Amino acid sequence: MNISKFFELRGRLSHKTGIIVSATGFVLLMSAWIIITALELVPRQLLPSPWRVICSFNELHFKDALVRNLGFSVYLNVMGYIEAVTISLIVGFVMGMFPLFRDLFSRYLNAARFIPMTAVTGLFIAWFGIETNMKIQFLAVGIIVYLIPVVIQRIDEIDNVYEQTAITLGAKPWQRIVSVYIPSVLSRIFDDIRILLAISWTYIIVAEMINSSSGGIGSLAFLAARQSRIDKVFAVLLVIILVGFIQDKLFEFLDRKFFPYKYLT
């Protein structure tokens, strides 16, 4: 085996080798976790053993309605994302294509990205109450302030040669938008949406801490932490990671389905 391949700048391992290396990393992490908890290098109240975490799933399922709470959180995620992506694409295209709207609003939108969402939860409660709609709006806005500037950037990144080709073929402005800008932006923005999926779970957890009685995986973790059941907190985090992984793979599948030319070599 050529060891230098492992340290090649911007190199890529083969599929088989990559799986072996990934599995090795998992074994190393689990081994470190087991050793640390077995030797009690960290108090058990702060870091439960893998076995305690696995055993806590039984209680989470039968006593804490894990599946129902997870379903509620996934529902918030999907509804918030549909709203955020729809608004971001419409507003982003209007601002990205027409300089009037870009100069009118872009500076203020960029400034909004620096507002911590946790600091404005009170506003969302005042505007939307403390039920499900508030949580969806909270998630949607948290994504919108990041996604609209990305849509504008993706429009700016489109090579002028494609638009010039469309002009040469006699395409009108609306035809250039439909045939050049929309396909190009959608193929690029799919990757950005995948990245923001991870951030969206952070906003879901924050939103679900408000009126935690309505349920959700975030409120479940919050209540477990208040009860000093760190094993259940770790179990919930593992569930979130698993769901996030599945969502990421689903987006990758859809990306390959809708934009196969991106994966041609």
Side-chain angles (χ1 to χ4, degrees), residues 105-158:
F105 303 115
S106 62
R107 290 178 177 83
Y108 311 109
L109 182 63
N110 289 332
R113 290 183 299 166
F114 298 97
I115 299 176
M117 291 297 294
T118 52
V120 295
T121 52
L123 286 176
F124 281 86
I125 293 173
W127 291 339
F128 304 106
I130 59 174
E131 300 301 330
T132 301
N133 184 49
M134 182 278 292
K135 299 176 183 182
I136 293 175
Q137 302 309 319
F138 183 85
L139 172 62
V141 172
I143 297 172
I144 286 171
V145 294
Y146 290 104
L147 195 54
I148 290 178
V150 172
V151 174
I152 297 172
Q153 179 182 346
R154 293 308 187 190
I155 291 174
D156 292 341
E157 291 174 350
I158 296 176

Side-chain angles (χ1 to χ4, degrees), residues 2-232:
N2 187 358
I3 302 300
S4 62
K5 283 288 185 181
F6 291 99
F7 304 98
E8 180 181 350
L9 295 179
R10 300 188 66 184
R12 294 290 186 272
L13 298 177
S14 66
H15 179 68
K16 180 179 179 181
T17 304
I19 292 177
I20 294 173
V21 171
S22 180
T24 302
F26 176 78
V27 171
L28 290 174
L29 288 173
M30 291 301 299
S31 299
W33 187 1
I34 293 171
I35 291 172
I36 290 173
T37 54
L39 298 178
E40 295 191 33
L41 299 178
V42 177
R44 292 182 179 180
Q45 295 80 2
L46 301 179
L47 182 63
S49 67
W51 177 248
R52 281 186 59 197
V53 173
I54 293 173
C55 290
S56 69
F57 277 104
N58 183 67
E59 183 178 346
L60 282 169
H61 177 68
F62 290 104
K63 182 179 177 182
D64 300 312
L66 175 63
V67 175
R68 179 178 61 82
N69 283 288
L70 177 60
F72 180 69
S73 294
V74 172
Y75 169 76
L76 293 179
N77 186 283
V78 172
M79 297 305 295
Y81 241 91
I82 291 174
E83 179 178 337
V85 172
T86 302
I87 294 175
S88 297
L89 287 176
I90 295 173
V91 176
F93 262 97
V94 171
M95 293 177 61
M97 299 301 301
F98 305 106
L100 170 63
F101 298 105
R102 178 180 296 207
D103 288 342
L104 271 175
F105 303 115
S106 62
R107 290 178 177 83
Y108 311 109
L109 182 63
N110 289 332
R113 290 183 299 166
F114 298 97
I115 299 176
M117 291 297 294
T118 52
V120 295
T121 52
L123 286 176
F124 281 86
I125 293 173
W127 291 339
F128 304 106
I130 59 174
E131 300 301 330
T132 301
N133 184 49
M134 182 278 292
K135 299 176 183 182
I136 293 175
Q137 302 309 319
F138 183 85
L139 172 62
V141 172
I143 297 172
I144 286 171
V145 294
Y146 290 104
L147 195 54
I148 290 178
V150 172
V151 174
I152 297 172
Q153 179 182 346
R154 293 308 187 190
I155 291 174
D156 292 341
E157 291 174 350
I158 296 176
D159 198 323
N160 285 332
V161 68
Y162 298 114
E163 185 175 17
Q164 293 302 319
T165 301
I167 293 174
T168 301
L169 295 174
K172 297 179 181 179
W174 70 268
Q175 291 174 319
R176 300 204 301 269
I177 294 175
V178 172
S179 62
V180 177
Y181 285 97
I182 290 180
S184 180
V185 170
L186 289 180
S187 67
R188 294 166 182 244
I189 207 69
F190 230 79
D191 297 323
D192 303 307
I193 293 174
R194 284 178 62 189
I195 294 173
L196 287 175
L197 266 174
I199 300 176
S200 70
W201 278 100
T202 302
Y203 292 137
I204 287 176
I205 302 303
V206 172
E208 288 178 349
M209 289 182 181
I210 303 168
N211 187 23
S212 58
S213 61
S214 61
I217 200 76
S219 63
L220 193 60
F222 178 66
L223 293 174
R226 291 187 62 182
Q227 297 167 358
S228 298
R229 289 296 305 275
I230 306 302
D231 54 332
K232 292 168 69 172

